[in-house]
Amino acid sequence: MLKKILPFLILIIFISLILFFYNENKKDFTYLYNLNLIFIIKILILCFFYLVTETIIFKNITKFFFVKINIFSSFLIICTTYLCNTFVQFSGLGYRAYYLKKFKGIGVTRFIIKSVFIILIEIMVFSLLSFLLLLIFDNINKNINIYNLIYYILLIIFLISVISLKFYRPIVKLFKKFKFITKFNLINKLIKILEKFEQKRFNKYFFKYFILFCIQFLILFLIFYNSYGIFQKDNSILFSIISTMSTDFSFIFTLTPYAVGISETFIFFSSNNFDIKISEILFLTNIFRLSMFAIYFVFGLFNLYFFSRKLIK
């Protein structure tokens, strides 16, 4: 019971703190007057393209299992995934797994394991790009220094993702030697699926996923770079890289629905030596959330309606 309600308790605490902070520091939100229609349209377009990249990634997952889903249906499924995750943590992944099992015959465990491999590629790409770009722009801009700890963390995350992707079979063999682990039926099932996983075929898709996550990084960067411009401050490139990195990792290591509070915490600690206020961090994270929500809410509800009709039939 505690596991079910804990994410919502954390979510309520974070929202309460945000509302309390806003009421106590309204003067720090004067930059909101700088918002205009062109800025909002620009952010909405970028968020739409971000969802399109997610759509193409999902479409490639189905191709791996020799299943074809048209691009519009894939887009609707992605929007529904985000809509579900907004209210119930990880329910979006459950929805996708159930949809593919029910209508396309793809096993839930196989789909989840494939999704884990793709998440590892995402972690690898975002950690690598963040590490290299921060290193480059940190050396160019001498006015501010990035904490060395951030570089170490990014390097460790990158190495873990690479090792997991390339050497998962020896890792599985190592786990099999621990007999107390193999006593569990679910663990045995996972080990068997991992042993049969078509790594050579998956490697053919690797470059596609790598490029798609590079494009995602660029889109997220542009969202934060344009949003940061509202504050009219220096170090916009460095801060946008940190925001991009923090936002993506917060979605992967999320504890609350839609990573509310998690993204803010990641960005706050990563940019503690920047001239940035908490009110501005709240704006950056929530302009992205609200813009995404405006798109996937409409399409997600539309898809849920027809999905429920299919189930009833």
Side-chain angles (χ1 to χ4, degrees):
M1 192 66 183
L2 180 63
K3 286 165 71 177
K4 289 179 181 178
I5 64 171
L6 186 60
F8 292 100
L9 287 174
I10 298 170
L11 179 65
I12 290 166
I13 291 168
F14 272 122
I15 290 174
S16 300
L17 289 171
I18 289 168
L19 291 172
F20 175 78
F21 180 83
Y22 174 76
N23 287 325
E24 293 294 316
N25 300 273
K26 286 182 180 179
K27 62 180 183 298
D28 290 340
F29 290 86
T30 53
Y31 58 80
L32 292 174
Y33 294 110
N34 296 331
L35 296 179
N36 55 63
L37 186 60
I38 294 172
F39 167 78
I40 293 168
I41 291 171
K42 198 187 295 184
I43 299 299
L44 283 171
I45 290 170
L46 287 168
C47 286
F48 174 78
F49 281 119
Y50 182 86
L51 286 170
V52 168
T53 59
E54 287 282 299
T55 301
I56 297 169
I57 290 166
F58 176 71
K59 193 166 169 49
N60 276 285
I61 292 174
T62 59
K63 277 186 181 178
F64 180 80
F65 295 112
F66 303 103
V67 170
K68 288 184 179 180
I69 301 177
N70 65 61
I71 194 77
F72 183 65
S73 295
S74 300
F75 179 76
L76 291 177
I77 291 166
I78 288 298
C79 287
T80 307
T81 300
Y82 272 85
L83 181 63
C84 292
N85 284 339
T86 302
F87 300 103
V88 181
Q89 193 183 17
F90 300 122
S91 61
L93 180 63
Y95 160 75
R96 276 194 288 182
Y98 180 78
Y99 176 91
L100 292 174
K101 173 71 174 176
K102 183 76 176 173
F103 300 110
K104 303 297 177 182
I106 298 172
V108 173
T109 312
R110 289 176 68 208
F111 167 72
I112 290 173
I113 286 175
K114 175 76 191 300
S115 298
V116 169
F117 274 85
I118 291 167
I119 289 169
L120 286 170
I121 297 173
E122 180 180 357
I123 293 170
M124 183 187 72
V125 170
F126 273 78
S127 58
L128 177 63
L129 288 178
S130 299
F131 180 87
L132 294 175
L133 291 172
L134 283 176
L135 197 64
I136 292 166
F137 287 101
D138 189 16
N139 287 321
I140 292 172
N141 189 345
K142 301 296 181 181
N143 296 326
I144 194 164
N145 292 315
I146 304 297
Y147 295 132
N148 287 332
L149 181 62
I150 294 175
Y151 289 116
Y152 295 138
I153 291 171
L154 287 172
L155 193 58
I156 290 167
I157 290 171
F158 173 73
L159 289 173
I160 289 171
S161 61
V162 171
I163 291 167
S164 301
L165 277 168
K166 293 297 178 184
F167 304 104
Y168 77 91
R169 288 187 188 278
I171 294 169
V172 168
K173 286 179 182 178
L174 182 66
F175 270 102
K176 285 176 74 176
K177 290 181 180 179
F178 298 99
K179 292 183 179 179
F180 70 93
I181 293 176
T182 54
K183 287 180 181 179
F184 298 98
N185 289 330
L186 180 61
I187 301 294
N188 271 325
K189 189 177 180 181
L190 289 172
I191 288 170
K192 286 176 183 177
I193 291 171
L194 280 169
E195 285 175 335
K196 293 177 182 177
F197 189 78
E198 301 174 62
Q199 189 174 15
K200 287 183 179 179
R201 192 159 174 271
F202 177 76
N203 290 341
K204 293 178 181 178
Y205 287 83
F206 178 85
F207 185 70
K208 285 184 181 179
Y209 293 129
F210 188 92
I211 295 298
L212 284 166
F213 284 123
C214 286
I215 294 168
Q216 273 197 356
F217 187 97
L218 176 62
I219 292 169
L220 266 178
F221 171 82
L222 289 173
I223 288 169
F224 287 112
Y225 184 76
N226 279 280
S227 302
Y228 190 82
I230 296 290
F231 311 138
Q232 298 175 344
K233 290 185 175 183
D234 297 328
N235 306 311
S236 56
I237 293 176
L238 273 174
F239 187 79
S240 298
I241 295 167
I242 285 175
S243 299
T244 300
M245 166 195 79
S246 300
T247 300
D248 187 76
F249 288 160
S250 70
F251 282 132
I252 294 167
F253 306 108
T254 184
L255 296 173
T256 61
Y258 211 11
V260 172
I262 310 302
S263 302
E264 289 85 347
T265 304
F266 274 43
I267 294 173
F268 175 77
F269 285 108
S270 301
S271 59
N272 206 23
N273 56 345
F274 280 74
D275 178 26
I276 187 83
K277 297 176 182 177
I278 294 175
S279 60
E280 293 166 342
I281 292 174
L282 289 174
F283 169 78
L284 288 170
T285 53
N286 286 295
I287 194 69
F288 171 65
R289 286 194 189 107
L290 290 171
S291 299
M292 289 280 285
F293 185 79
I295 299 168
Y296 69 68
F297 179 77
V298 176
F299 289 101
L301 275 184
F302 174 80
N303 189 48
L304 275 178
Y305 170 73
F306 286 101
F307 176 69
S308 61
R309 288 188 67 182
K310 279 185 182 179
L311 289 180
I312 291 165
K313 287 179 182 179

